[in-house]
Amino acid sequence: MHSVRSLVLAFVVAAAVLITGTCITCSFGNEWTCASLASDFSISSTTPNDMKWDIGGNGAPDPYGRLTVARDGRAVSGGSESIGMRSDAFGFTAPFFRQRGITIHRDDVITIRLFDDDLGDDDVIGIAYLTVAGRTMRGSAENGAFSVTVTCEE
């Protein structure tokens, strides 16, 4: 009798997901509601071409950029925020979505694009893609120019 009940329950759950599109298993570690996403950046001391980021001073870049959360290949509504420019910084922290929070799902992709503010044309520091697998994600830019840790804060 228990196997019939289990089979019926499984069928009802599957039907509910198909009909409503609601992630019933999200409460089992596939969805995280974050008051903010805390991000910790570390930028290489030189460009990928082994040059200083900026002339003068300590050669540090003036980073700025954007963080975007995508689900199924599309940006999540309200899931993109700018990273304000920091002067002469090899490392910095940046909180995202503090005012409204954000919900992230397993396999969402967080894309971070960083640029170096210059007097002429700005330089691309790098782009990192982090796949959500829990509350904390770590990654590096494809060109190795920066690393980042992003943490979902409750």
Side-chain angles (χ1 to χ4, degrees), residues 32-38 102-104 134-137 150-154:
W32 297 270
T33 300
C34 314
S36 69
L37 291 179
I102 190 165
T103 299
I104 56 175
R135 287 196 173 278
T136 301
M137 293 72 54
V150 178
T151 303
C152 169
E153 296 187 327
E154 296 185 70

Side-chain angles (χ1 to χ4, degrees), residues 10 18 20 23 39 48 52 58-59 61-62 69 76 79-80 82-83 95 105 111 119 124-125 142 147:
L18 287 173
T20 66
C23 178
S39 303
K52 285 186 172 184
N58 63 359
D62 305 309
V69 178
V76 172
S80 187
S82 295
I83 302 166
H105 294 198
T111 302
L119 293 176
V124 175
I125 295 176
E142 293 177 323
S147 62

Side-chain angles (χ1 to χ4, degrees), residues 92-130:
F92 65 95
T93 59
F96 296 94
F97 311 109
R98 283 189 306 185
Q99 293 183 357
R100 65 182 179 279
I102 190 165
T103 299
I104 56 175
H105 294 198
R106 183 174 302 283
D107 297 328
D108 282 357
V109 176
I110 297 173
T111 302
I112 300 169
R113 291 175 170 81
L114 285 185
F115 302 90
D116 175 23
D117 184 60
D118 287 328
L119 293 176
D121 293 332
D122 293 352
D123 299 317
V124 175
I125 295 176
I127 301 171
Y129 301 96
L130 306 157

Side-chain angles (χ1 to χ4, degrees), residues 21-57:
T22 302
C23 178
I24 291 175
T25 61
C26 289
S27 61
F28 299 107
N30 290 320
E31 176 181 279
W32 297 270
T33 300
C34 314
S36 69
L37 291 179
S39 303
D40 186 21
F41 293 87
S42 178
I43 300 172
S44 174
S45 60
T46 58
T47 69
N49 298 332
D50 206 31
M51 308 274 292
K52 285 186 172 184
W53 289 104
D54 285 342
I55 297 171

